[in-house]
Amino acid sequence: SDPEIVKVRAAEFIDTFAQQKIISVIKHYPGIGSISKDLHRSFDEVDLGEEEVLVFKDLLEAYPLLGVMSAHVGVLGRYEDEPCSLNNDCIDDLTNYFPNTLVFTDALDMKSAGYIGNNKELSSLAQRAILAIKAGNDVLVFGPNVELDEFDKVLSALKIAYDSDVDFQKQAEKSVQKIRQYKEIIRQ
């Protein structure tokens, strides 16, 4: 509940991992401290306070070489009907200020990632993956329970999107370039 303690503890982890050439990933952007539901099982919305967002801002200013994990949570008054992780405006709120930040999704197989407004049917894993790239995430994360046949469908859908959508292709290539830059920095 105290942002200053969160920043101090996060800095301790970041520094320790950096000594071993491990890049830390801070999570869950834009903040999930006020949720009451398990995002693995259902969608929830947060009422963000400035202090939650400032934790990310302050850490990214102090440590520009960090990853950030986006959350599958709506933001009251801004992105209520869609997970931040799949919302271009929400991810842009982060990457406009920190363009070199490597953005990871949370596990796309979480039920909260499949939420689409008032629709009772969840979106497919392949749809989530495409939306995540379009929103500006650089790295797609999947949980351990994703079956290989489902993952094959995701790969097929990503390839189709890449081949048929110039904007998707540009975003994917931008993400690959960012990942390569991070790898190069780690090697040094």
Side-chain angles (χ1 to χ4, degrees):
S1 62
D2 184 339
E4 293 307 314
I5 292 174
V6 171
K7 288 187 272 189
V8 168
R9 295 295 179 251
E12 291 170 358
F13 280 99
I14 293 165
D15 290 337
T16 300
F17 288 129
Q19 291 170 5
Q20 301 302 314
K21 296 195 179 262
I22 298 170
I23 296 174
S24 296
V25 178
I26 56 176
K27 58 183 193 172
H28 293 88
Y29 177 82
I32 60 171
S34 65
I35 65 167
S36 59
K37 297 178 184 174
D38 179 353
L39 296 176
H40 293 90
R41 294 185 170 81
S42 63
F43 183 77
D44 202 359
E45 298 165 335
V46 292
D47 189 6
L48 282 182
E50 183 179 352
E51 65 281 352
E52 287 182 280
V53 177
L54 283 176
V55 169
F56 289 95
K57 178 185 173 291
D58 291 348
L59 286 170
L60 287 165
E61 285 175 349
Y63 300 95
L65 188 64
L66 285 178
V68 174
M69 182 173 279
S70 59
H72 306 312
V73 65
V75 178
L76 289 172
R78 299 205 60 209
Y79 326 108
E80 295 178 1
D81 292 333
E82 186 175 17
C84 172
S85 55
L86 306 182
N87 182 293
N88 184 263
D89 292 331
C90 190
I91 300 299
D92 276 355
D93 286 348
L94 172 66
T95 57
N96 284 341
Y97 292 102
F98 302 101
N100 296 320
T101 297
L102 198 59
V103 183
F104 292 73
T105 66
D106 203 341
L108 287 169
D109 50 307
M110 294 169 60
K111 286 198 176 175
S112 57
Y115 180 81
I116 307 172
N118 293 325
N119 190 346
K120 293 189 188 233
E121 189 172 321
L122 298 176
S123 63
S124 72
L125 192 58
Q127 290 169 318
R128 298 173 202 185
I130 290 168
L131 289 172
I133 294 291
K134 285 183 174 184
N137 292 276
D138 301 303
V139 179
L140 304 178
V141 176
F142 300 90
N145 297 322
V146 175
E147 299 291 332
L148 284 178
D149 64 325
E150 193 172 16
F151 194 68
D152 286 341
K153 291 176 188 174
V154 169
L155 290 176
S156 177
L158 289 172
K159 183 178 181 337
I160 290 168
Y162 184 86
D163 291 341
S164 64
D165 183 337
V166 173
D167 292 332
F168 182 91
Q169 186 178 66
K170 286 179 185 175
Q171 181 60 45
E173 289 174 1
K174 180 180 170 186
S175 295
V176 168
Q177 184 59 33
K178 256 201 251 185
I179 292 166
R180 286 183 175 151
Q181 288 172 341
Y182 269 66
K183 285 183 173 185
E184 220 24 68
I185 290 167
I186 291 172
R187 287 187 194 130
Q188 297 174 359

